[in-house]
Amino acid sequence: SARYPENTLLAFRQAIRAGADGIELDVHGSSDHTLVVHHNYGVKEASGRFRYIFDMHSDEIRALEIGHESGHGVQRVPLLEEVFEECGDAVAYEIELKGLTSEFLTAVVRLVKDSRLLHKVEFTSWHFFLLALLRQWEPDATIGLFVAPFPGWMPADLGDAIVRAHATVGGMNIVHYACPMLTPACVTHLHDAGLQVYAANCNSTEDLERAFALGVDRLSTDHVDLAVRVRTARQT
């Protein structure tokens, strides 16, 4: 997304071409219960009016134009179904659930299963009750827990212990940390608890080198080509 409009088929296509093992996307439910892929909860229309995705009809959302400062052309908001059709099972998916209802969750899970991609998908969300409901419905689902920055009064080792407890009790599989929050001890303790570690937003050579050195299981980046170069250099 550093080079192409975020959450668009063009960005996903180019990421895979550059060597990405997976793609991250944000899924919302429109007012007519269509699953659309867009990063933000709302959009600013040409008239200047701001509207939330869940208040808009899918036809209105599909009419939006998404550009990028790189000038790679205007793209449209894709449907989740279109992303699956475009990318298939050749790539893994991290789906951030940004819908707000159990009906939304039902629709996402149904589409994932109908597309035979449950084994390829990690579900994440800041809406923790949706994740709890998902775990209840789908014991085989892979679910990731986002970790917010710890408050100033909280020592890092206490924060890490609370994260491990939340992830374990909640039946999570993966824990997402911002890269600067991770330490060797944190990664070791998470692995010992049977959790995978995800380093988020590794957008510099330094962050990428650090994430790989820490032995994380997954990482996200806006610069796939850079991440592939750093990984390849470490493997040679």
Side-chain angles (χ1 to χ4, degrees):
S1 58
R3 298 171 63 182
Y4 302 96
E6 190 172 15
N7 270 250
T8 63
L9 293 178
L10 174 62
F12 299 146
R13 193 179 302 124
Q14 294 297 334
I16 294 169
R17 185 173 297 171
D21 303 298
I23 57 174
E24 186 273 338
L25 56 152
D26 306 272
V27 180
H28 307 252
S30 66
S31 65
D32 58 318
H33 311 295
T34 300
L35 300 176
V36 298
V37 176
H38 190 269
H39 179 67
N40 296 321
Y41 280 97
V43 296
K44 191 172 184 179
E45 297 179 313
S47 64
R49 181 176 58 156
F50 182 86
R51 298 180 66 190
Y52 292 114
I53 294 290
F54 56 72
D55 282 334
M56 299 176 66
H57 192 278
S58 58
D59 290 343
E60 298 176 286
I61 299 168
R62 300 276 280 167
L64 296 171
E65 296 183 344
I66 305 174
H68 193 275
E69 59 186 13
S70 62
H72 281 289
V74 172
Q75 300 294 306
R76 301 291 182 182
V77 174
L79 305 180
L80 180 58
E81 183 177 8
E82 292 175 331
V83 176
F84 288 160
E85 290 173 352
E86 171 80 21
C87 303
D89 64 357
V91 68
Y93 301 86
E94 179 198 331
I95 295 179
E96 181 173 348
L97 302 166
K98 286 191 170 176
L100 306 176
T101 66
S102 58
E103 291 78 13
F104 160 79
L105 179 61
T106 297
V108 173
V109 172
R110 181 185 298 120
L111 179 57
V112 169
K113 295 180 72 173
D114 287 349
S115 302
R116 299 184 179 181
L117 290 172
L118 185 64
H119 66 295
K120 286 284 189 175
V121 172
E122 176 200 358
F123 298 93
T124 60
S125 184
W126 286 109
H127 308 312
F128 300 121
F129 289 110
L130 280 186
L131 297 183
L133 189 59
L134 174 60
R135 172 55 71 220
Q136 179 182 335
W137 288 350
E138 290 295 335
D140 294 330
T142 300
I143 303 177
L145 177 70
F146 290 145
V147 178
F150 302 145
W153 62 265
M154 182 180 287
D157 58 348
L158 173 59
D160 293 337
I162 291 172
V163 168
R164 290 197 303 276
H166 285 178
T168 302
V169 172
M172 304 293 112
N173 307 101
I174 303 169
V175 179
H176 292 235
Y177 272 74
C179 190
M181 294 177 66
L182 287 169
T183 65
C186 173
V187 173
T188 296
H189 292 153
L190 289 167
H191 281 162
D192 288 346
L195 298 162
Q196 291 189 34
V197 183
Y198 187 125
N201 302 321
C202 299
N203 289 322
S204 67
T205 299
E206 292 74 20
D207 280 347
L208 289 162
E209 290 279 11
R210 186 166 183 273
F212 286 126
L214 284 167
V216 302
D217 304 281
R218 306 178 181 209
L219 63 84
S220 62
T221 181
D222 295 338
H223 303 272
V224 178
D225 48 356
L226 175 62
V228 170
R229 287 200 302 272
V230 171
R231 182 174 65 178
T232 301
R234 293 182 58 85
Q235 293 172 340
T236 57

